[in-house]
Amino acid sequence: MSQTTRTLVFVKPDGVRRGLVGEIIQRFEKRGIRIVGLKMVHPTRELAEKHYAVHRDKPFFEGVVNFITSGPVVAMVLECPNAIEVTRQMMGATNPINAAPGTIRGDFGLDIEQNIIHGSSDPEAAEYELNLWFKPEELVGQ
Ligand code: ATP
Ligand code: MG
């Protein structure tokens, strides 16, 4: 039996600007994934730097922080069996050029930086990001 888990997902500023929020949420809902938290946030530099802290030494760090703070994002906590793997599969490869058709990045993107959506990559990242983006009282359910 696979375990019900939670993950932190957000539609990045390009996805919001392009009007893809509804389409993306609909894909998760239709899959049967439960939304337990949802909000629109314009990330501060502090939030973005904390979120991408694991990438601090990467050449793309500055660029991705600038991009994520360029406009509002729609952040959500999603819950289902194997939530991290399921949502990452639905998002597709980091570089949309390599993302399979039928995935969010494979259907809507071509740019490795402006790649539409974020999803936690592993259980440690999910716990860190959930606490960073949402207060316990902003989540429904137990
Ligand atoms: P995310 O963490 O946003 O869900 P990911 O886990 O698929 O994406 P990471 O390796 O964690 O990929 O990279 C974080 C983000 O940094 C990517 O989603 C992308 O926006 C940006 N990024 C990654 N690699 C590059 C690169 N080579 N050039 C420019 N931007 C990049
Ligand atoms: Mg990542």
Side-chain angles (χ1 to χ4, degrees), residues 12 52 55 60 64 88 91 94 105 112-113 115 118-119:
K12 295 183 178 182
Y52 282 124
H55 296 310
F60 60 81
V64 79
R88 296 276 293 185
M91 286 162 47
T94 303
R105 287 166 173 163
I112 189 168
E113 182 177 82
N115 60 1
H118 163 80

Side-chain angles (χ1 to χ4, degrees), residues 34-106:
R34 196 160 85 101
I35 302 169
V36 297
L38 181 67
K39 63 180 171 185
M40 182 174 252
V41 195
H42 190 145
T44 60
R45 196 153 196 92
E46 188 191 354
L47 175 61
E49 286 181 353
K50 281 185 181 162
H51 177 79
Y52 282 124
V54 290
H55 296 310
R56 190 173 285 124
D57 299 327
K58 307 264 174 65
F60 60 81
F61 178 73
E62 202 59 27
V64 79
V65 167
N66 285 339
F67 168 52
I68 287 304
T69 55
S70 70
V73 307
V74 173
M76 59 199 100
V77 177
L78 300 179
E79 185 183 89
C80 68
N82 292 347
I84 295 167
E85 294 79 1
V86 167
T87 53
R88 296 276 293 185
Q89 276 174 8
M90 291 175 75
M91 286 162 47
T94 303
N95 189 343
I97 297 284
N98 303 321
T103 64
I104 293 164
R105 287 166 173 163

